[in-house]
Every structure is written in structure tokens, then in C-alpha cells.
Amino acid sequence: MSICLAAECSATYSLSKYEHQQTNIEHLYAREHPDAQFGDIAVHNNPVIAAACVTIVFAVLVATLFGADFFFLLQFPRRVYPSWYNAAKRFLSVFITAGVLAGALFSTVVVATQEQYINGTAVTEAESRRYEEFFYRPPFVYKRWAVNIAWVVLIWIGWVATVASTIIMWKAIEHDKTHGTGPRSDVPLETTESQRAFGGVVDAEKKASA
């Protein structure tokens, strides 16, 4: 959950920076060309924006499902939940895991193979190069920015952790169905001196012997 949230934060930062960069380029062009019209210049960065959005959505869903399940397990460890609730958790865990995988694949392809570029009906190639050199952060080539690399690496690690969490969740549901939510009766409890003293057994034995 925490790893996916770290990936979500990296993707959010990247998305914000590329959107601000696009706005700054368009505003600078408008100041340099007061008679500019819509379509004269266009900054193409839709793939990285879309990949970031997919990462953000499913990373938040990971935190919502597994974070809530951890909270309920911590606060109500012996509560028995209805079958529809467990079925919903199973469905959502598989759906979210698949979504994180899709986001990881999409992000990897975009960051590794694509780049932002400028064109339009009026902007010249020289102006495009000048804007790219002036607004050099974040880089137009996505794989040249460490934030994008961190985002992709974290989402892959987060996906592996999500798969493991899904497996544990399913096993926990089956365990509760078979053994219940209380202590297992087939596992003998240790009765060490400290445990017996804590339970008041020692005091009772002393009174009986006296």
C-alpha cells in the first residue's frame, strides 16, 4: 500500500510538472504572438498524462481496499463479516491488481519509448526547439527524468506487493471460514510461568495449597 502511494505521488508530481510546462509554453507563445489563434501551437503530452492518471487511480484504490481491510482487522480482529462482503473484497482485490498491472505496463511503455513534442499550424520548427531548450525541466524525453523512472519502478514493486496482499487476503478469508476468527482450538496454548501468573492461575494454586 505504501509503495503504491509512493508511486502515486511520483506520478502526480510528474503530471503536474508536464501540465504546468504545457501551460507555460502556450502562454509564452501567446505573448510573443498577440494575434495567435487556437491551434497555432500544440504541446503533445497526452500519453504521459494518461499513464499518470491510471497509476494514480489504481494506487489510490489499493490504499482504499487494503488500508481499510487492515484497519478493520486491527480494530475488530474477531468480527465475522457476511459472505457478500468477502466476495466483494475478492472481486475488488483481483480487479485492482489487474488495474495496477495495466498501469505499470502502460507507464513503462510511455516512459521508455515516447516523448513530448510541439507542433501546430503556425509554430515553426525553430520556435519548437527554442521552447524545448528554454523549458528543459521536465525533459521532453520522458525516460531522461528521474521522477518518471522512480514512478515506473515503484509501481512495479507496488504491483508485486499487491499480488502478495491479494493472496494473503484470500487465504485469510478461507481461514476464517474454516476456523473462525477466534484462537484455533487444535493449537495447545503454552502455560509458561509468566502467562499463568498473568491469568491469575498461580494465585489460585497458591490459595488451594495453603
Side-chain angles (χ1 to χ4, degrees), residues 49-119:
I49 300 298
C53 289
V54 173
T55 299
I56 292 167
V57 168
F58 282 100
V60 171
L61 289 177
V62 167
T64 302
L65 176 64
F66 294 99
D69 195 57
F70 173 75
F71 173 80
F72 290 134
L73 180 62
L74 185 65
Q75 297 296 325
F76 314 104
R78 296 190 179 181
R79 183 172 181 177
V80 178
Y81 295 96
S83 57
W84 66 264
Y85 179 80
N86 291 327
K89 286 201 305 182
R90 284 179 166 176
F91 170 77
L92 289 174
S93 64
V94 173
F95 172 73
I96 292 172
T97 301
V100 174
L101 176 60
L105 291 171
F106 188 20
S107 301
T108 301
V109 171
V110 169
V111 171
T113 64
Q114 299 193 26
E115 62 184 77
Q116 180 177 260
Y117 63 93
I118 300 173
N119 65 5

Side-chain angles (χ1 to χ4, degrees), residues 121-193:
T121 58
V123 65
T124 64
E125 185 176 349
E127 285 179 319
S128 298
R129 288 197 301 269
R130 179 166 61 86
Y131 293 147
E132 182 176 355
E133 293 173 357
F134 186 76
F135 297 100
Y136 62 93
R137 279 290 181 271
F140 277 41
V141 180
Y142 301 136
K143 63 183 178 183
R144 294 180 181 174
W145 198 26
V147 173
N148 292 335
I149 302 299
W151 152 23
V152 172
V153 171
L154 287 170
I155 194 61
W156 275 111
I157 298 174
W159 175 74
V160 173
T162 303
V163 171
S165 299
T166 299
I167 294 173
I168 293 172
M169 176 183 286
W170 281 54
K171 287 185 175 294
I173 293 173
E174 290 300 323
H175 177 275
D176 290 347
K177 282 184 177 181
T178 304
H179 303 286
T181 57
R184 289 179 56 177
S185 58
D186 60 334
V187 178
L189 297 177
E190 295 182 1
T191 55
T192 62
E193 190 69 21

Side-chain angles (χ1 to χ4, degrees), residues 40-56:
D40 286 353
I41 185 173
V43 181
H44 296 271
N45 54 16
N46 289 339
V48 75
I49 300 298
C53 289
V54 173
T55 299
I56 292 167

Side-chain angles (χ1 to χ4, degrees), residues 25-33 36 40-41 122-123 127 131:
I25 292 173
E26 292 172 348
H27 285 176
L28 178 59
Y29 182 84
R31 286 198 297 268
E32 294 177 346
H33 304 81
D40 286 353
I41 185 173
V123 65
E127 285 179 319
Y131 293 147

